[in-house]
Amino acid sequence: MVLVKKITAEETYFLRQEILRKNIDLPHTFDGDLDETTIHLGVFDDETLVCIGSFMKNDIEELKGKQYQLRGMATSSEARGKGYGKELLNFATNELRNLGINFLWCNAREVAIKFYEKNQFKIMGDKFVNKVGPHYKMYKSL
């Protein structure tokens, strides 16, 4: 059975390290992880955590209205392609809409652009590169 639910910041750390930070000199903890307004979600297949995402109150000037940033979304290697990321985003979208949030945005890795576009995100601005590689800023209207 697949279940999406709120989890703690600490529960996200393993997948962040394994999927997002492996062999990259960046921390797996984020500023804002422990803020009251931050929402950490996990997708469980039976009792195994297979997908995570953290949603943090954070504004960018390109968007006008109440905003949250998606950070640290990751799916375990063996669980990719099974729809868990879509489940996580659908759950998060409903949660954020209930809070009166207008936009969800993220810095999406170039390799994940198609995934985000399938989930109603749009690119804004030009490609940029950081330690992890090429990214695009993307947003979704809620």
Side-chain angles (χ1 to χ4, degrees), residues 18-64:
E18 188 64 26
I19 304 300
L20 302 176
R21 297 298 192 241
K22 193 169 200 159
N23 302 318
I24 298 172
D25 184 27
L26 286 171
H28 65 277
T29 60
F30 302 145
D31 288 342
D33 267 345
L34 304 179
D35 289 356
E36 286 181 12
T37 56
T38 297
I39 302 166
H40 302 283
L41 297 177
V43 180
F44 292 81
D45 187 346
D46 288 323
E47 300 202 14
T48 303
L49 180 61
V50 294
C51 182
I52 57 160
S54 297
F55 300 83
M56 302 178 172
K57 189 174 182 173
N58 193 7
D59 292 349
I60 52 174
E61 62 184 58
E62 294 94 334
L63 300 172
K64 303 301 178 209

Side-chain angles (χ1 to χ4, degrees), residues 52-56 68-73 88-89 104-107 115-116 121:
I52 57 160
S54 297
F55 300 83
M56 302 178 172
Y68 262 64
Q69 180 184 8
L70 166 58
R71 295 205 60 199
M73 185 166 177
L88 182 112
L89 286 177
L104 176 60
W105 65 274
C106 66
N107 292 322
F115 166 78
Y116 285 107
F121 281 77

Side-chain angles (χ1 to χ4, degrees), residues 62-127:
E62 294 94 334
L63 300 172
K64 303 301 178 209
K66 294 181 180 178
Q67 312 166 30
Y68 262 64
Q69 180 184 8
L70 166 58
R71 295 205 60 199
M73 185 166 177
T75 302
S76 66
S77 300
E78 53 277 356
R80 287 205 188 112
K82 296 183 179 180
Y84 298 129
K86 181 178 180 175
E87 290 284 332
L88 182 112
L89 286 177
N90 286 341
F91 187 95
T93 297
N94 290 330
E95 288 283 309
L96 294 172
R97 273 191 193 123
N98 290 337
L99 294 173
I101 305 304
N102 305 108
F103 297 101
L104 176 60
W105 65 274
C106 66
N107 292 322
R109 291 182 182 195
E110 189 172 51
V111 298
I113 296 301
K114 284 186 174 38
F115 166 78
Y116 285 107
E117 287 176 335
K118 286 179 186 176
N119 287 281
Q120 293 79 50
F121 281 77
K122 296 177 181 133
I123 292 175
M124 66 175 153
D126 297 324
K127 176 167 52 171

